[in-house]
Amino acid sequence: MNSQDPLLAAVAGGVRLIELGHPFFTGMPCSPNHPGFRMTLIRRHGDMERPDGGSAANEIIVTGGHVGTHVDALSHVSHDGELHGGIRAADAQRGGAFTSHGAENLPGLLRRGVLLDVAAVHGVATLPPGYGVTAEDLDLAAARAGTEPGAGDVALIRTGWSRNFADATTYLGRETGVPGATPSAARWLADRGVAATGADTTAYEQIPAGAGHAVLPVHRILLVESGIFILEHLALEALAEAGLHEFVFVLAPLRITGGTGSPVRPLAAVAA
C-alpha cells in the first residue's frame, strides 16, 4: 500500500458500508410511468448436467431504467423540447437511443454525502402524504445535521416514506399523495451546486393526493436547468438510525448506451 495515499490509508483503517437502496424483486413498487421489474430463472440446476456432475442456473431480467433504486440521466426529462444545455430532444433521440446525455455518460460517484432528514425535523417517522418539502425544510435539516451540502456533494432527502415500501398501494400514493421536494427545495440545492440528489420516494417530487405524476417541475429545475442527477427509491432508514448526516457516498451506474437512467446500488461508506 502506498502510505502516502490518504484514501488507501482510510480504507485500510476499516470501512463500514451502509445500503442506501432497495433490493430488486418481481412485483416491487413501480411508478405507473415505467415498465416494472421482472426476473425468472430460464435455466435451473439439473436442466442440463455436465459429464462431471456440474450444473448451472441463470435468469432473464426485464426492467425499465427507472425502476427500483435508480439514477436519472440528463436525457430523462426535457422542457419546451430541450434537454440540458439547450440540446434539442427530437434530434438527440432519433434511432431509439439518445446520442446526447445518454446513461453511458452517468459518472461514477465517490463524493461527500449529506443526509437532510426532513422527517426528523418535524419529529415524525414519516412525512404526511403529499407533503411539500421546501427550502426552509432543507435549511432546518442542514442546521440539525450541523452541515449543509456544497459544490460537488450528494444531498439525500429523507421523508421516511421508504417505510411504506412493502405496501405498494401506500408507497405509490396514487390516491393519497407522496411527500417530496418542491421547486423551492430544488433551487436551494441548485444554488449550492450539488452533483446529485436523491430521496426515498418513487418520484423526486411533491405528489399531491389524486394528482399523480402530472407535472415534474423539480425534475426540470435539477435535470434540465442545472444538470444535477436525481436518485429515486432510496432506502435511508439505516443511515438515519445510525445518526449519520455526513458520509462518503459511492455510486457506480450501469453504462447503458443511449439510455435515460440506470438501476443502481448506492452505498454510504463510514469508518468502521
Side-chain angles (χ1 to χ4, degrees), residues 65-73 76 103 106-107 109 196-197 223 229-232 251-254 260-264:
H66 300 266
V67 178
T69 306
H70 67 274
V71 60
D72 294 346
H76 179 46
L106 285 164
L109 295 176
T197 181
L223 291 174
F229 304 106
I230 298 175
L231 293 123
E232 294 167 323
L251 186 76
L254 301 177
T260 66
S262 168
V264 291

Side-chain angles (χ1 to χ4, degrees), residues 158-207:
R158 177 179 173 266
T159 69
W161 202 248
S162 66
R163 290 169 172 260
N164 297 318
F165 192 76
D167 179 351
T169 299
T170 300
Y171 181 75
L172 295 175
R174 290 187 179 94
E175 301 300 325
T176 59
V178 179
T182 63
S184 75
R187 296 201 184 282
W188 188 95
L189 292 163
D191 287 346
R192 283 152 181 77
V194 299
T197 181
D200 51 359
T201 60
T202 183
Y204 194 104
E205 301 274 353
Q206 177 191 17
I207 306 297

Side-chain angles (χ1 to χ4, degrees), residues 7-166:
L7 184 57
L8 285 176
V11 172
V15 173
R16 177 164 62 106
L17 297 177
I18 299 174
E19 297 281 357
L20 300 179
H22 296 283
F24 290 77
F25 58 90
T26 299
M28 66 183 179
C30 174
S31 164
N33 292 338
H34 303 287
F37 178 91
R38 297 291 184 272
M39 189 218 80
T40 190
L41 296 176
I42 59 169
R43 185 169 65 175
R44 301 163 299 174
H45 291 292
D47 288 346
M48 187 279 285
E49 190 169 300
R50 294 179 172 82
D52 64 355
S55 183
N58 58 279
E59 66 280 292
I60 184 170
I61 296 171
V62 178
T63 185
H66 300 266
V67 178
T69 306
H70 67 274
V71 60
D72 294 346
L74 298 183
S75 56
H76 179 46
V77 169
S78 66
H79 189 70
D80 290 337
E82 293 189 346
L83 303 173
H84 178 65
I87 295 170
R88 295 296 300 172
D91 297 332
Q93 66 190 4
R94 291 174 181 166
F98 277 91
T99 54
S100 297
H101 294 320
E104 75 276 18
N105 298 305
L106 285 164
L109 295 176
L110 183 65
R111 302 291 181 94
R112 175 178 177 259
V114 175
L115 178 66
L116 299 169
D117 195 339
V118 178
V121 164
H122 290 274
V124 296
T126 304
L127 290 176
Y131 180 85
V133 175
T134 64
E136 182 181 5
D137 284 322
L138 298 189
D139 276 330
L140 293 171
R144 183 181 182 275
T147 186
E148 68 173 43
D153 290 343
V154 176
L156 306 182
I157 297 176
R158 177 179 173 266
T159 69
W161 202 248
S162 66
R163 290 169 172 260
N164 297 318
F165 192 76

